[in-house]
Amino acid sequence: MRIEDSLAFRAAVSDPGLGTVLSVEPYDLRSAIEGIDRPVYVVSCHTDRRRTMCDTLPSFILILHNSYVLSLVDNLGAAWLYHLHRDAIDLRPFSTGFAKKFVAEQLYRIAPSSMARILFLETVLAYEPAWRVPLLARDDDVSLRRSSQQLSRLTADFLLHHEIGHTAVRDRRFDPFVSERVHDALGSLGEIQLDDQHRLILREEAEADLFGLNCCFSRYAPGMSERHLREYLDFAARFVIAINLFYAVSDDIHRLNVDGSHGGSSIETAFEIASHRLAIMSAHIESFLLGEDTAPCAPSDEFLGLDDPSMLFDAFMAAGPAMTECTHEDLRHASQIIDLGLQAGGDFDAIIGGYRKTWVLGDDPVATLREDCGTSFLV
């Protein structure tokens, strides 16, 4: 019997936590990576209910290609490209606004609460007009759209190969390019304020990060200039770190304001791990030798540059402490009124769903856009 026909496989891909499953594609890596002893499937889905991106089961591995997360990098990248190359805009709606909206959705998934609903409603009401400008411009601008989609594809591939990297690390042939580099990098970071368990987590995540980066260097170098490839990888790395921190911020806010017994991530530990992961990735992106012996880059390309996105992501991360602060008193009041109505039995999931786009995973796998809610263009 084929694995795809087994009860275990059918149960795994029909898990309600996967949200909308768009496709399930085989991604056979057993001939390329020693240590992968079972078939791998990439599940293209759209869900805000899952944080883990990989399920390892006895007879197969599922890697999630989650368009819920990828839609955020698509929109954030479009805003940054528009700001750099078309018209300078106030970036707060895209740093603070996108961050608050993401955290509000995660708070709601932890446990439906008035805080989660009010934060979501207030954020959408406050920032939606600003979100329209670069996103609509991208739809009509070939150059913006091409660059935004390339950034999204590269980030999707990085996330995919990061998950593969957790298994590939067993293949000792990769040691000189992954494990040994992480060992050297950790030694150069100085004192690390983590216990043994979290030091191990840091090492495992950093090894998977470098495996993912190496795969992206190899895959994208032939079609991108060296400058643009490093810039796009830097953006992807910063984005992935930010998303991981927002999950921890969501846990912390829920614990402090709704349920003191809630477990989840320690915000201090999450920031410590994140800062070291980013430092290791940034150094690797900057120092990776591109050329005939590794991955030769194209002399030029048609993509727009990303320059240094640290300003955007510094603001993105600075939004954390202010996540629950009132954006506008009138909007907070209006959101509270709507929440009172929802407490009587309204469907808040339908409101969230009205601002969603989904993605479809291609065969390679590459993400392509597909409208899921009429004329809505928000994530």
Side-chain angles (χ1 to χ4, degrees), residues 268-285:
E268 293 82 7
T269 300
F271 268 88
E272 178 84 4
I273 291 174
S275 64
H276 294 316
R277 283 180 64 189
L278 183 58
I280 293 170
M281 282 196 284
S282 296
H284 189 68
I285 291 168

Side-chain angles (χ1 to χ4, degrees), residues 27 51-54 63 154-169 178 201-216 237 240-241 244 277 281:
Y27 199 61
R51 299 185 184 186
T52 57
M53 296 293 180
C54 184
I63 296 178
L154 185 146
T155 305
D157 265 344
F158 171 69
L159 285 168
L160 172 66
H161 289 94
H162 169 96
E163 296 304 330
I164 294 170
H166 282 295
T167 300
V169 73
V178 177
I201 291 173
L202 170 59
R203 174 179 289 278
E204 291 174 345
E205 292 300 320
E207 289 176 345
D209 288 337
L210 293 201
F211 182 85
L213 289 175
N214 289 344
C215 290
C216 287
V240 169
I241 292 300
N244 277 273
R277 283 180 64 189
M281 282 196 284

Side-chain angles (χ1 to χ4, degrees), residues 327-341:
T327 302
H328 190 284
E329 288 187 8
D330 290 341
L331 295 180
R332 174 64 62 93
H333 183 60
S335 299
Q336 289 170 332
I337 292 172
I338 297 172
D339 177 61
L340 287 174

Side-chain angles (χ1 to χ4, degrees), residues 124-340:
V124 169
L125 292 170
Y127 295 120
E128 194 265 355
W131 291 342
R132 288 178 179 271
V133 176
L135 302 185
L136 289 177
R138 174 193 57 191
D139 292 342
D140 296 327
D141 187 315
V142 173
S143 184
L144 279 177
R145 186 167 63 253
R146 180 193 299 118
S147 299
S148 173
Q149 290 175 346
Q150 180 75 347
L151 176 60
S152 300
R153 283 191 288 266
L154 185 146
T155 305
D157 265 344
F158 171 69
L159 285 168
L160 172 66
H161 289 94
H162 169 96
E163 296 304 330
I164 294 170
H166 282 295
T167 300
V169 73
R170 303 173 193 167
D171 190 335
R172 299 273 68 92
R173 294 174 299 172
F174 295 115
D175 281 358
F177 313 104
V178 177
S179 299
E180 292 176 11
R181 287 180 176 268
V182 170
H183 176 78
D184 294 342
L186 290 174
S188 67
L189 289 177
E191 187 175 0
I192 299 176
Q193 303 295 326
L194 293 171
D195 58 29
D196 290 344
Q197 176 188 359
H198 289 99
R199 282 174 178 267
L200 178 60
I201 291 173
L202 170 59
R203 174 179 289 278
E204 291 174 345
E205 292 300 320
E207 289 176 345
D209 288 337
L210 293 201
F211 182 85
L213 289 175
N214 289 344
C215 290
C216 287
F217 270 121
S218 175
R219 177 167 186 169
Y220 286 90
M224 297 185 73
S225 69
E226 179 176 342
R227 174 194 165 192
H228 286 166
L229 179 55
R230 294 189 196 275
E231 288 178 353
Y232 278 52
L233 282 172
D234 180 55
F235 194 101
R238 292 175 184 274
F239 170 80
V240 169
I241 292 300
I243 289 298
N244 277 273
L245 285 176
F246 288 151
Y247 285 130
V249 168
S250 303
D251 288 329
D252 200 52
I253 291 175
H254 183 78
R255 189 163 43 243
L256 290 173
N257 295 278
V258 180
D259 180 3
S261 65
H262 175 67
S265 308
S266 158
I267 193 68
E268 293 82 7
T269 300
F271 268 88
E272 178 84 4
I273 291 174
S275 64
H276 294 316
R277 283 180 64 189
L278 183 58
I280 293 170
M281 282 196 284
S282 296
H284 189 68
I285 291 168
E286 182 178 347
S287 64
F288 188 93
L289 294 177
L290 290 160
E292 294 298 330
D293 294 334
T294 53
C297 277
S300 62
D301 59 47
E302 296 181 332
F303 303 113
L304 299 173
L306 292 173
D307 296 341
D308 179 6
S310 58
M311 177 180 71
L312 174 67
F313 282 97
D314 287 348
F316 211 41
M317 299 317 306
M323 204 65 73
T324 59
E325 291 181 1
C326 178
T327 302
H328 190 284
E329 288 187 8
D330 290 341
L331 295 180
R332 174 64 62 93
H333 183 60
S335 299
Q336 289 170 332
I337 292 172
I338 297 172
D339 177 61
L340 287 174

